[in-house]
Amino acid sequence: MSRRDLTIAMVGAGGDGIVTMGDILSQAGARNGLNVIKTEAYGPQIRGGESSCVVRLSPSAIYEQGDAVDVLVVFSWADFGRFKGEVQPAPNAVVLFDEADPVARTREDLGIGADGHWLAVPFSKLAGDAGAKGSKNVVGLGVLTALFGLAEETIRRAVVKRFGRKKAAVGELALKAYEAGLVHGGTLPPMPERGLTFTPGPAKLLMSGNEASALGALHAGCRFFAGYPITPSTEILQFAEEWLPKMGGSVVQTEDELAAIGAVVGASFAGVKSMTATSGPGLSLMTEMLGLASMAEVPCVVVDVQRGGPSTGLPTKSEQSDLWQAVFAGHGDAPRVVIAASDVEDCFHTTVEAFNIAEEFQVPVIVLTDQSIGQRRETLDPTRLVHDVVDRAVPTAEELVEYKRYRDTPDGYSPMSVPGLKGGIYQTNGLEHDEFGRPASMAHVHETMNAKRYRKLKPIRDRYQRARRYGPAKADLGIVCWGSSKGAVKEAVLMAEERGEKVAAFIPQMIFPFPVKAFEEFRASVRQLLVIEISYAAQFYKYLRTFTTLPDNTIIFKRSGGKNLTISEVDDQIRRFFASGSQQKGAA
């Protein structure tokens, strides 16, 4: 029986073309209308170290990378060992490895059972014989195509396009390598039962989370971006460098993150929607300037693509451990907004939403994504990439008479003029100030202006509170998670539903101010809570406890990053709960 879901993993060294191989497989799947999720991981060396790529293909909706790998291609067992526990083949997997690899592994080493396939393939030799030494990745594409009935013509065109754009001769050699792989694949045991069953449909858009974040910024009207490259957020800067100038905007690659956020605050002060992107260490450096943006009430958007920390940590792998920094880091009472993206499409929407909030309420907004969705490529319906845009309120002619830049209003925000606007001149800096912007250190002024700045959070919470809820209205188990954990949790909830188990999930997009009312309603609808996160310190669980009381029997599943949350990890927690009989206890 053919499959409805196929997960292929490739592992090798930097320079083996592992990511290119995954890109071509993903593009071919998307062009045939399949749903695709492609993730990649590599060592901290970034270039020259170990590299892996996992591609999941399915005609049905998918929300997370596959757990157990159906097909594993290994060019280097030594590099495979560096992904121990991260790339896990299923017991019945098909394992293809380079017969020239000096490191030997056995099927028992990987737990491959009798119904699996263990196949040595002369990837390097075939590439060399085809005159395309170094193209063993393309040979691998040919072998996979022959074995699993992948879209041969689509992949052939993708190979020519990918390699021929540099030089026609390079494309021709790559094509020879692909054909050599096809021929060799035809000599291996046929596996029709391993192939996908699907009817090709309209092509889908394939995009990464970082590209979606940058696209969301352009959609929102961002016309200035300043940033300093840092893994895994750099693609946002690269996208902005390519596209923002074509839309009349500007990009500055600064000398560090302090300069980047400083430039963003300055550009926004001048009336231009502005943004930067970084990762954990960069966000640390931006903290002081975020305080300035709060005090001066200057809109700005910061996308933080989280990675494992602290310090340099795991720069190429994911973790949800910047939560406390995003919500709490800073000096003084500095209101800000923190929202979280949960998948690639969500990167687009949360970035637009961040601009809407920042511009409407004149506050800094931090968007938390992470490496697992920032660098993941995923198929999208392009018609869903639309989102209402809110622009900044500017003062009316009446308001420019005796203009009070920081007028104390019921919602806490007041129209913001730009330099050069007649009547709109005001003084601003990091000092406390009165309604006109004049420096003032009197205690009652500080109290009044603090109250004004914090008053914005209530309308933000009421207008922009966003949370997803999955599962039945009443459930025995309620899962609470955030960000990139959504995909694995959603699939696990759907699996539980098929078993007849009542499991629901609550995933907030608005992290601060938190949608407390919606969460309390969810908590009241489930018998027991399970909090899931990729943070050793359980930052999310402890953050929830800062504003609500969680039941003593709340289950916590947390661990360090470096490996994305898997569907089976969530499913194991659900099965353990029902096996314990806990659903019989408590009251919904």
Side-chain angles (χ1 to χ4, degrees):
M1 182 177 176
S2 298
R3 306 177 61 90
R4 297 280 296 170
D5 187 323
L6 183 65
T7 300
I8 304 172
M10 298 138 278
V11 179
D16 281 343
I18 293 296
V19 173
T20 298
M21 197 174 171
D23 282 341
I24 291 175
L25 281 176
S26 303
Q27 289 161 4
R31 285 171 186 161
N32 280 280
L34 288 170
N35 295 296
V36 179
I37 292 180
K38 190 209 93 176
T39 57
E40 58 192 56
Y42 37 89
Q45 311 91 330
I46 300 179
R47 292 188 182 277
E50 66 274 16
S51 176
S52 73
C53 186
V54 179
V55 178
R56 185 183 183 194
L57 306 161
S58 176
S60 305
I62 52 177
Y63 306 101
E64 188 53 77
Q65 73 176 65
D67 273 11
V69 170
D70 304 305
V71 181
L72 174 64
V73 179
V74 179
F75 292 145
S76 164
W77 284 119
D79 288 308
F80 176 80
R82 297 185 177 95
F83 292 102
K84 183 178 181 181
E86 300 173 34
V87 178
Q88 186 65 46
N92 65 343
V94 178
V95 180
L96 307 164
F97 57 95
D98 196 334
E99 68 175 18
D101 191 340
V103 178
R105 299 292 294 270
T106 67
R107 60 191 304 157
E108 290 75 20
D109 293 338
L110 275 70
I112 305 300
D115 53 349
H117 293 268
W118 187 260
L119 302 170
V121 178
F123 291 114
S124 300
K125 183 178 185 303
L126 288 171
D129 292 347
K133 184 180 179 182
S135 295
K136 55 186 176 184
N137 58 335
V138 186
V139 172
L141 287 170
V143 173
L144 292 175
T145 302
L147 280 180
F148 304 107
L150 303 180
E152 182 177 329
E153 280 307 313
T154 307
I155 294 178
R156 182 179 281 111
R157 287 196 297 272
V159 167
V160 172
K161 183 177 180 181
R162 180 70 177 244
F163 295 96
R165 66 188 179 189
K166 297 179 180 177
K167 198 173 180 181
V170 176
E172 291 171 6
L173 288 176
L175 195 55
K176 288 182 179 179
Y178 180 65
E179 301 295 345
L182 277 175
V183 171
H184 186 83
T187 68
L188 298 174
M191 304 178 195
E193 76 284 1
R194 304 282 184 151
L196 276 178
T197 300
F198 72 100
T199 302
K204 288 185 165 67
L205 177 64
L206 188 67
M207 178 175 281
S208 75
N210 282 341
E211 290 170 341
S213 294
L215 184 65
L218 297 182
H219 180 84
C222 174
R223 293 298 179 265
F224 180 77
F225 183 100
Y228 181 74
I230 180 171
T231 302
S233 74
T234 303
E235 292 86 356
I236 300 177
L237 168 62
Q238 293 170 329
F239 190 100
E241 284 178 331
E242 180 177 359
W243 289 101
L244 204 47
K246 296 175 182 176
M247 301 182 72
S250 302
V251 178
V252 176
Q253 181 176 322
T254 55
E255 66 270 30
D256 57 29
E257 288 86 351
L258 286 85
I261 187 65
V264 164
V265 171
S268 183
F269 170 76
V272 180
K273 290 186 178 181
S274 305
M275 177 179 124
T276 185
T278 187
S279 190
L283 185 62
S284 299
L285 295 173
M286 294 178 180
T287 300
E288 183 178 357
M289 277 287 186
L290 287 174
L292 171 63
S294 290
M295 174 62 88
E297 301 187 45
V298 177
C300 63
V301 173
V302 180
V303 176
D304 173 17
V305 187
Q306 300 171 93
R307 64 191 203 184
S311 190
T312 308
L314 305 176
T316 57
K317 295 185 177 179
S318 197
E319 197 165 74
Q320 295 179 303
S321 54
D322 286 352
L323 180 65
W324 286 349
Q325 176 177 218
V327 174
F328 298 121
H331 55 278
D333 296 316
R336 70 188 61 177
V337 174
V338 181
I339 56 180
S342 58
D343 57 33
V344 171
E345 182 185 322
D346 212 29
C347 287
F348 171 86
H349 294 293
T350 52
T351 304
V352 181
E353 201 84 309
F355 273 99
N356 288 348
I357 296 169
E359 295 293 324
E360 182 175 359
F361 292 93
Q362 302 163 22
V363 292
V365 179
I366 298 172
V367 181
L368 290 176
T369 74
D370 58 37
Q371 186 273 338
S372 72
I373 53 175
Q375 295 188 320
R376 168 198 301 180
R377 298 186 75 80
E378 189 173 340
T379 43
L380 303 174
D381 177 356
T383 64
R384 291 176 57 83
L385 297 182
V386 293
H387 199 110
D388 290 342
V389 172
V390 176
D391 292 319
R392 188 181 308 180
V394 296
T396 63
E398 292 76 19
E399 289 170 328
L400 288 172
V401 178
E402 295 291 318
Y403 176 53
K404 291 181 177 178
R405 164 66 184 95
Y406 299 108
R407 183 160 53 91
D408 195 4
T409 61
D411 280 346
Y413 61 97
S414 44
M416 180 179 178
S417 71
V418 296
L421 180 65
K422 187 176 181 181
I425 296 175
Y426 67 97
Q427 181 180 357
T428 190
N429 50 42
L431 288 169
E432 185 58 281
H433 46 258
D434 62 14
E435 289 183 288
F436 291 95
R438 295 174 302 209
S441 60
M442 292 173 285
H444 75 91
V445 173
H446 187 44
E447 176 70 17
T448 299
M449 300 311 285
N450 261 333
K452 171 191 184 299
R453 291 187 287 267
Y454 269 91
R455 201 179 303 137
K456 301 173 183 177
L457 297 180
K458 184 176 185 305
I460 291 173
R461 184 195 62 200
D462 294 342
R463 289 181 213 174
Y464 289 93
Q465 64 169 301
R466 299 281 189 273
R468 291 186 172 88
R469 192 190 194 288
Y470 303 118
K474 296 278 188 181
D476 294 314
L477 182 64
I479 301 174
V480 187
C481 68
W482 71 283
S484 61
S485 298
K486 186 232 18 177
V489 167
K490 183 174 182 179
E491 291 213 24
V493 168
L494 292 173
M495 291 164 60
E497 185 178 337
E498 290 179 358
R499 297 194 295 267
E501 297 165 346
K502 292 184 178 180
V503 181
F506 180 86
I507 302 114
Q509 291 165 286
M510 179 65 76
I511 300 297
F512 184 83
F514 197 83
V516 178
K517 182 180 178 184
F519 174 66
E520 298 290 359
E521 290 173 353
F522 174 79
R523 192 178 66 173
S525 71
V526 300
R527 291 180 184 276
Q528 188 157 357
L529 280 179
L530 164 62
V531 180
I532 291 179
E533 61 181 310
I534 304 300
S535 160
Y536 180 82
Q539 293 190 15
F540 184 54
Y541 167 73
K542 292 173 182 172
Y543 169 58
L544 292 175
R545 293 181 63 189
T546 64
F547 54 81
T548 191
T549 301
L550 297 178
D552 292 339
N553 63 352
T554 298
I555 305 167
I556 306 166
F557 176 81
K558 55 90 177 176
R559 63 166 172 78
S560 301
K563 174 188 174 186
N564 298 338
L565 180 68
T566 65
I567 301 164
S568 60
E569 285 179 308
V570 183
D571 190 54
D572 286 347
Q573 293 296 312
I574 294 173
R575 289 176 183 273
R576 187 173 302 176
F577 169 79
F578 282 96
S580 70
S582 299
Q583 74 276 16
Q584 309 292 336
K585 307 169 187 174

